[in-house]
Amino acid sequence: MAGGSTPGFFSDAVMLLGGAVIAAPLFKRIGLGTVLGYLAAGVVIGPLSRMVTEGEEILSIAELGVVFLLFIIGLELKPSRLWSLRKDIFGLGLAQVFVSGVAITLLAMYLAGFALNSAVAIGFGLALSSTAFALQVLEERGEINRRHGRKSFAILLFQDLAIVPLLALLPFLAPAGPDSGGNDLQAFLTAIAAVAALVFAGRFLLNPLFQIIGNTGAREAMIAAALLVVLGAAMLMQVAGLSMAMGAFIAGVMLAESSYRHELEADIEPFRGLLLGLFFMAIGMSLEISVILENWIAILAAVPVLMAVKAVIIYGLCRVFGADHDVSVRTALILPQGGEFGFVLFSAAAALGIFSLDVASQLISVVTLTMALTPLSVALGQKFLRNETGEQMEESFEGAGGADVLMVGFSRFGQIASQILLSGGSDVTIIDHSADRVRSAQKFGFRIYFGDGTRKDVLEAAGIKRAKIVAVCTQKKEITDKVVDLVQSEYPDAILFVRSYDRTHTLELRAKGVQYEMRETFKSGLEFGRRTLEMLGASDELAQAIMEEVEKRDAERLRIQQSEGIFAGNDMVRTRPASPEPLIKPKREARIINTGEQTDESAEAGRVKERS
């Protein structure tokens, strides 16, 4: 251990950590984002001061940050949700790579004077955007699950898939032609087999593995298993010639429905954050200042042209695929930069003699500068929005906690429910992810906080451990399910009262074992029907009895459907007027013939009550 490399390793680590600690909070504070802070720290530590010179070696390790990021993104995407993005992935994503690639190829030929083969490599290399930068910016802004976040993610996912055929295309662009086409089929079959093996392991092996380790109670073994899954999946894809990040993403998707999903996310998150920050710093350290100085005019001209062309193309394609103006603008200005896979393509192209190493260095500098300008392009995008909802609120939970009820979501349903609770003397802490709704409710004096109820740290800060009941009153089914899954996983003793979206959602919630659920429109529909029946001439007592009978029949039907499926109990649904059904009051009172008889109306009410 007395070798000279060890002190160097520790000094480099101290420099990198010190740069991260200073630059990231500083740039976050001034509104430029942590990504640009990491980049700036890398430039200062590397090419400017030469305190750390092993930028390329650090970058090869730091790329694991992108791998971990894609694994965590995969954990958030159930296969059903991924399938719902297929149009954006294989429609919008394919169109973006092709149209951008062709446009930049033509610019490289006619403006920069490159030959066709060089221009194609440059065009399609620059058509790719940065998965790491774009997703980090979206995550920092809390926009990854918004419409433009989903579209951006779909485009980035297709770009990650496109790297494989683009790398396969390079030998055909080389001056000597392709080395050999004989192994193309073998490489393709190897890639398919690797993906199939990973999917099989994800569906049938990983859950039992985590269950065995979880039962032992060995926390460190669970962390080791999580790292093994991510790195093993990444290595398998790399051996098969695919992207390491793609392997981690597939592993994440396969575990998205696992009961260990939240624990895996918590285990991986520290590694993801640290390595991703290191990745951005390594890019800054790898920047060739001398190349920029020698070709600064060409580079400075290329950077805005590239970003403008990509932004215009992405905006136009988003509009073609049905997105509105604001979503298209946000997506376009999230993805105008070059990407980390461009480094791979340009290095491979230079090695094949498609263009020189100097050209490759200039292209890498252009990509790096576009990455550095991404936070600024995102901020610029706010000026082009038509329906900007205003500045987002900061999450602050000062004074939260200690309430009887923690209510997640404060739309119409939650607002009505809160009146019952507050009128009954119960203390309620409310969290909602709509800044406008929070501001509005605060004006009326509600104890409400801005926060995302699908995050464990938000629930903790809002006092979930001290709440007697967690009332999930969110509007969207998928958000409700996410909150319920998180609470049941992390706080198994919590009592859950949940607003359900419809009958199918009710059955799903009952299967999950929530203590109480209520369909958002059920009671109001019953009351509406009762009042309508009264207006048609039925007495108050009869209408009330019929409403109660319908409610009890619905509860019985739900009980049957729980055991026999959604299509069971259809015979209990009224599709024709019931007979006899005295909806109109008689013109004169019925005359009682003897004490054993009843009026038709009271007899019908009695029969209703007997059936109930």
Side-chain angles (χ1 to χ4, degrees):
M1 296 294 292
S5 61
T6 302
F9 168 80
F10 282 114
S11 64
D12 288 354
V14 169
M15 289 292 180
L16 293 169
L17 292 172
V21 167
I22 295 171
L26 177 62
F27 275 70
K28 177 77 171 177
R29 180 73 176 175
I30 61 179
L32 295 179
T34 58
V35 172
L36 199 55
Y38 289 129
L39 265 177
V43 172
V44 171
I45 292 171
L48 290 184
S49 66
R50 311 297 294 176
M51 289 186 287
V52 179
T53 57
E54 295 82 12
E56 294 295 332
E57 291 81 358
I58 293 172
L59 183 61
S60 63
I61 298 173
E63 284 175 350
L64 291 176
V66 183
V67 171
F68 287 131
L69 175 64
L70 265 292
F71 177 73
I72 288 178
I73 295 298
L75 282 177
E76 300 294 333
L77 283 175
K78 294 183 179 180
S80 58
R81 185 181 168 201
L82 191 60
W83 178 249
S84 70
L85 292 174
R86 64 190 183 281
K87 180 182 175 183
D88 284 337
I89 295 172
F90 297 103
L92 180 58
L94 173 61
Q96 185 276 324
V97 171
F98 179 76
V99 176
S100 298
V102 170
I104 300 170
T105 296
L106 294 175
L107 290 175
M109 288 176 63
Y110 294 108
L111 291 184
F114 285 101
L116 177 62
N117 62 334
S118 301
V120 169
I122 293 170
F124 282 88
L126 293 177
L128 304 180
S129 302
S130 173
T131 300
F133 265 72
L135 292 184
Q136 179 76 354
V137 170
L138 287 169
E139 190 176 46
E140 279 187 358
R141 298 171 62 90
E143 296 175 352
I144 202 161
N145 286 316
R146 296 178 64 179
R147 287 183 297 164
H148 67 281
R150 292 195 296 270
K151 287 195 177 295
S152 301
F153 176 76
I155 293 172
L156 291 167
L157 184 55
F158 183 85
Q159 290 178 355
D160 285 350
L161 292 169
I163 188 63
V164 179
L166 289 178
L167 285 172
L169 176 67
L170 288 182
F172 293 90
L173 299 176
D179 295 334
S180 148
N183 291 326
D184 287 348
L185 179 61
Q186 180 181 350
F188 177 75
L189 293 176
T190 300
I192 294 297
V195 173
L198 188 54
V199 171
F200 175 82
R203 289 192 66 86
F204 301 107
L205 300 180
L206 294 184
N207 267 319
L209 169 67
F210 286 115
Q211 185 174 5
I212 292 171
I213 297 173
N215 289 337
T216 66
R219 173 70 177 166
E220 65 280 3
M222 184 64 79
I223 296 175
L227 293 172
L228 176 63
V229 167
V230 179
L231 297 179
M235 188 175 71
L236 176 63
M237 291 295 104
Q238 187 181 44
V239 169
L242 299 174
S243 159
M244 291 176 66
M246 182 57 57
F249 174 75
I250 294 174
V253 171
M254 290 297 100
L255 289 167
E257 295 179 336
S258 167
S259 57
Y260 298 95
R261 174 167 63 91
H262 297 293
E263 186 170 358
L264 289 171
E265 187 172 352
D267 291 340
I268 292 297
E269 181 62 31
F271 299 97
R272 193 275 307 177
L274 186 61
L275 287 170
L276 201 57
L278 186 61
F279 172 80
F280 299 131
M281 294 179 70
I283 288 178
M285 291 182 341
S286 302
L287 197 63
E288 294 286 348
I289 299 296
S290 60
V291 172
I292 295 176
L293 293 177
E294 291 172 9
N295 304 277
W296 66 272
I297 295 178
I299 292 173
L300 288 181
V303 167
V305 169
L306 172 63
M307 297 184 76
V309 167
K310 289 184 70 174
V312 169
I313 289 173
I314 293 171
Y315 174 84
L317 290 173
C318 286
R319 297 290 279 168
V320 168
F321 278 80
D324 61 34
H325 170 79
D326 284 6
V327 169
S328 300
V329 166
R330 290 178 185 274
T331 306
L333 293 177
I334 282 285
L335 303 176
Q337 75 288 118
E340 51 273 0
F341 287 126
F343 301 153
V344 179
L345 277 172
F346 299 144
S347 299
L352 290 168
I354 297 174
F355 45 67
S356 67
L357 286 172
D358 284 347
V359 171
S361 296
Q362 292 178 52
L363 292 170
I364 290 173
S365 298
V366 168
V367 169
T368 305
L369 289 176
T370 59
M371 286 180 175
L373 292 174
T374 297
L376 299 180
S377 77
V378 173
L380 179 66
Q382 305 300 315
K383 299 184 180 299
F384 295 95
L385 300 180
R386 294 175 181 167
N387 299 310
E388 178 59 22
T389 57
E391 178 186 6
Q392 286 293 308
M393 300 181 70
E394 291 291 331
E395 289 181 354
S396 173
F397 295 93
E398 184 178 354
D404 299 323
V405 178
L406 172 60
M407 180 175 287
V408 182
F410 200 58
S411 55
R412 298 182 304 272
F413 187 96
Q415 291 166 19
I416 296 170
S418 71
Q419 291 303 291
I420 301 293
L421 296 170
L422 295 169
S423 297
S426 296
D427 196 4
V428 182
T429 295
I430 307 161
I431 57 176
D432 196 283
H433 199 42
S434 167
D436 290 339
R437 193 178 296 132
V438 170
R439 289 191 186 97
S440 177
Q442 285 176 341
K443 292 178 181 177
F444 288 93
F446 285 98
R447 187 181 180 186
I448 187 169
Y449 300 90
F450 175 73
D452 183 358
T454 63
R455 285 168 41 197
K456 180 182 177 183
D457 58 327
V458 168
L459 296 179
E460 291 269 3
I464 189 172
K465 289 184 177 180
R466 296 179 294 278
K468 298 176 182 177
I469 294 176
V470 180
V472 184
C473 301
T474 45
Q475 298 183 78
K476 296 182 179 179
K477 176 181 180 295
E478 59 270 20
I479 300 298
T480 299
D481 289 339
K482 196 171 182 180
V483 176
V484 169
D485 291 343
L486 175 61
V487 172
Q488 290 187 325
S489 172
E490 299 295 335
Y491 313 98
D493 296 330
I495 298 175
L496 274 165
F497 276 41
V498 186
R499 167 193 187 177
S500 70
Y501 178 73
D502 56 16
R503 192 176 201 85
T504 302
H505 194 205
T506 289
L507 293 171
E508 292 172 357
L509 291 170
R510 290 189 177 189
K512 290 180 179 181
V514 303
Q515 282 75 12
Y516 179 76
E517 47 68 32
M518 169 57 66
R519 274 168 286 164
E520 55 190 24
T521 56
F522 181 62
K523 289 288 188 180
S524 57
L526 288 175
E527 181 65 20
F528 188 90
R530 182 183 71 82
R531 294 299 297 269
T532 306
L533 197 57
E534 290 176 2
M535 182 57 68
L536 288 172
S539 67
D540 293 351
E541 295 80 6
L542 176 60
Q544 179 67 29
I546 291 174
M547 186 184 77
E548 292 173 358
E549 192 265 345
V550 169
E551 186 173 3
K552 290 180 180 178
R553 191 168 67 240
D554 181 84
E556 177 63 17
R557 182 175 166 226
L558 277 172
R559 188 189 63 78
I560 295 171
Q561 287 175 322
Q562 276 186 269
S563 57
E564 300 180 19
I566 188 65
F567 296 107
N570 285 348
D571 58 314
M572 305 177 73
V573 180
R574 298 275 195 223
T575 58
R576 296 287 187 275
S579 180
E581 198 167 31
L583 298 181
I584 301 176
K585 291 182 179 180
K587 293 181 180 179
R588 59 181 178 176
E589 295 292 331
R591 184 166 54 89
I592 299 176
I593 298 176
N594 58 53
T595 56
E597 293 179 339
Q598 297 172 302
T599 65
D600 291 342
E601 185 176 289
S602 60
E604 174 62 17
R607 284 194 294 272
V608 168
K609 291 181 178 179
E610 288 174 6
R611 286 199 300 271
S612 64

